[in-house]
Amino acid sequence: MSDKNAGIKNLIDAHSWLGVIISVALFIVFWAGSIVLFHHELQAWAQAPHFAIDREAPDLPVEQIVARKLREHQLNNQEHLTVLLADDHHPYHQIYIDLKTEEGYEGPEQVAKLLVHPKTGETLAELDDFYLADFLLHLHYDLRLPGGIYLVGVVTLIFLVLIFTGIYIHARKLIGNFFLYRNQSRRNKLLDMHNVVGVMSLPFGLMYALTGVIFNISIVFQIAFALFLYQGDQNAMLKDAGYTIVTEKPSGKPLDMQPAFDYARSVEQQTGAPIAMLRFYNYGDENAVMQTYAVDDSRFAQTVEHFYQVRDGSLVGQADAEHRNAVRTGLNAMASLHFGSFAGVDLRILYLLLGLAVAGMIVVGNLMWLDKRALQRNVSPRAIGFVASLTLGGCAGVVLATAGGFLAERVMPLALAARGDWLAYIFAALLAATTAGAFGVSDKRQFLRITLWATAALFATTVIADWVLFGARMGELWEDGVHQVIGVQTGLLVGAAACVWIAKLLGKTAGPCSGCRRRGVFAGEQLNPPKQHKRGVTKWRPLLTVKIA
């Protein structure tokens, strides 16, 4: 074997082993990330059916709503008061109030997270009561694990390495075999499927790998820069990066905040960019500063951010098209690319399809690894069985758990205490049960079919529950412009149909004959010779199941 061929072989081995090691974590990242591209739509789907809203009614001035909420909750004005304003994507205000704690309290920050009706100012619920969208978002970037944000950063870094090794391995045939899809053998079909998805999604995957590494591991570089280049002055580093840091503390002298709200309206009129967020520092104090945040849709990845000193009407910070910072501009561009927020819903649907295709490519890569290792005498059957079980339990488990999360979000009573925690428990229980089942059964192909059927049933049941519980309000929601509810229902039905289709496809694959069962042969192992084994006239093409010794 030439040195060049030996190098390619080593790259292939490294590519396959690294892929197997990170496969389940990477699958979860892409699966959850694909869904939370529609984060606002998921929130609206969960919340809107519970509460009536009349789009034609005038909005209550936001300063009146804030004043009412501060009478109900004691603000710690040394911290923040944040208002996310209602818009076309999300019909309700979201208000975060950092609460004053008792003297000597050393626990976590106490924050009131309120869902507020923009027309009446009524507090509708706690934001954590509708947890599905935020849960999946956290699952995407930290796997809901302590230190998970760094783990995901390492996973995306390895994913970046896999992309480059894949390009190098197939560089010579990248163009010539672009439309190649062989149907002669199972391994060729899997390999071609893996390669086709990899090539078609290459720009998408490369973008996600780069932005994921930057978002998840940048804190490591920030610490190093702060220590060695800025002598520990983190505020100076952030200032050079284009961030405005408010360091003034409350003076204890009260101040009327009405000029701040008037200024926010004037910014909206001048720029034409609707204000999405108001954040107040030292609210109601002489040293109060208001941060306004808006997105300028007329420019790519352009935000409009002002820091307004309330007492004298001056600006202590500004970021817009005329006041740019290279670091902030770059980060905004990467965030827009990562979340697909620079275009309409059609782009996010494309992102969704590409993300799910990459998730499928990860599973196919593991199947190829299993097929190859099953032919090697020096690979332990236990190792093969472990990878097969982990692939099935981790990947199918998170899909089933997501479907269970959708149903739980819809049917759990709104008055249930710690409703968001219960959703997380249900998700974890379904994932754990599926993973345990994957390790406990021998016929993994049949177990996968059952899991897909169960997932389809949960998705369909969620849509049925929508109409049983809120069917009388569906027309009203549509007329009020809250189309997200029907949109999410459509997505759930498409997902259910896809699960049914895959389950039926798996059912067409014939299982091992009784003689094979007596010899302990299961799908995933190769017969000797594999291509000569027949059951009647039907060739058995094993799919996923592996014997666990």
Side-chain angles (χ1 to χ4, degrees), residues 82 154 510:
T82 304
V154 173

Side-chain angles (χ1 to χ4, degrees), residues 1 4-22 158 161-162 165-166 168-170 187 191 194 365-366 368-373 376 378-379:
M1 181 183 296
K4 184 175 182 180
N5 289 337
I8 293 291
K9 182 180 182 300
N10 290 336
L11 271 182
I12 293 173
D13 288 340
H15 184 90
S16 60
W17 276 103
L18 286 174
V20 166
I21 290 169
I22 68 167
I158 295 175
V161 173
L162 292 177
T165 56
Y168 187 83
I169 291 168
H170 298 286
R187 178 162 179 79
L191 179 61
H194 186 81
N366 276 23
M368 290 192 298
W369 186 92
L370 290 168
D371 278 357
K372 182 177 180 180
R373 294 307 181 275
Q376 297 177 352
N378 60 340
V379 179

Side-chain angles (χ1 to χ4, degrees), residues 156-157 159-160 163-164 204-216 334 338:
T156 51
L157 180 61
F159 179 52
L160 184 62
I163 291 174
F164 288 130
F204 173 81
L206 187 60
M207 177 272 294
Y208 262 133
L210 286 171
T211 55
V213 168
I214 291 170
F215 291 153
N216 286 64
M334 284 188 289
H338 192 88

Side-chain angles (χ1 to χ4, degrees), residues 85-96:
L85 298 170
D87 57 21
D88 292 338
H89 297 291
H90 195 277
Y92 309 105
H93 294 322
Q94 300 176 57
I95 301 180
Y96 299 81

Side-chain angles (χ1 to χ4, degrees), residues 32-219:
S34 299
I35 296 174
V36 297
L37 288 166
F38 300 89
H39 183 270
H40 291 305
E41 286 79 4
L42 291 177
Q43 285 186 323
W45 166 80
Q47 297 165 0
H50 289 278
F51 314 111
I53 187 168
D54 182 4
R55 293 279 192 180
E56 301 301 322
D59 287 351
L60 199 65
V62 68
E63 55 265 39
Q64 293 183 24
I65 295 177
V66 169
R68 184 185 301 182
K69 298 307 131 185
L70 293 183
R71 287 194 295 269
E72 299 169 0
H73 303 273
Q74 192 172 10
L75 169 68
N76 177 7
N77 68 348
Q78 296 186 28
E79 297 296 336
H80 308 126
L81 165 65
T82 304
V83 182
L84 301 182
L85 298 170
D87 57 21
D88 292 338
H89 297 291
H90 195 277
Y92 309 105
H93 294 322
Q94 300 176 57
I95 301 180
Y96 299 81
I97 303 173
D98 286 11
L99 300 176
K100 185 176 291 186
T101 57
E102 296 180 359
E103 188 174 351
Y105 176 80
E106 296 181 355
E109 283 187 353
Q110 299 295 305
V111 182
K113 305 175 183 178
L114 310 176
L115 185 71
V116 179
H117 201 299
K119 312 295 183 181
T120 65
E122 175 190 0
T123 298
L124 302 172
E126 291 280 343
L127 283 170
D128 287 343
D129 289 339
F130 300 98
Y131 191 43
L132 178 64
D134 287 340
F135 178 85
L136 292 174
L137 179 62
H138 282 282
L139 189 69
H140 170 63
Y141 69 75
D142 66 7
L143 301 177
R144 300 300 297 162
L145 296 174
I149 190 169
Y150 305 111
L151 174 61
V152 172
V154 173
V155 167
T156 51
L157 180 61
I158 295 175
F159 179 52
L160 184 62
V161 173
L162 292 177
I163 291 174
F164 288 130
T165 56
I167 292 173
Y168 187 83
I169 291 168
H170 298 286
R172 290 182 300 173
K173 302 177 181 179
L174 201 63
I175 304 300
N177 291 350
F178 189 80
F179 295 104
L180 178 66
Y181 191 77
R182 295 165 291 182
N183 197 36
Q184 291 83 4
S185 70
R186 163 187 157 83
R187 178 162 179 79
N188 283 342
K189 287 194 290 186
L190 289 177
L191 179 61
D192 292 341
M193 187 186 306
H194 186 81
N195 294 344
V196 166
V197 173
V199 173
M200 294 294 290
S201 64
L202 179 58
F204 173 81
L206 187 60
M207 177 272 294
Y208 262 133
L210 286 171
T211 55
V213 168
I214 291 170
F215 291 153
N216 286 64
I217 307 186
S218 61
I219 185 65

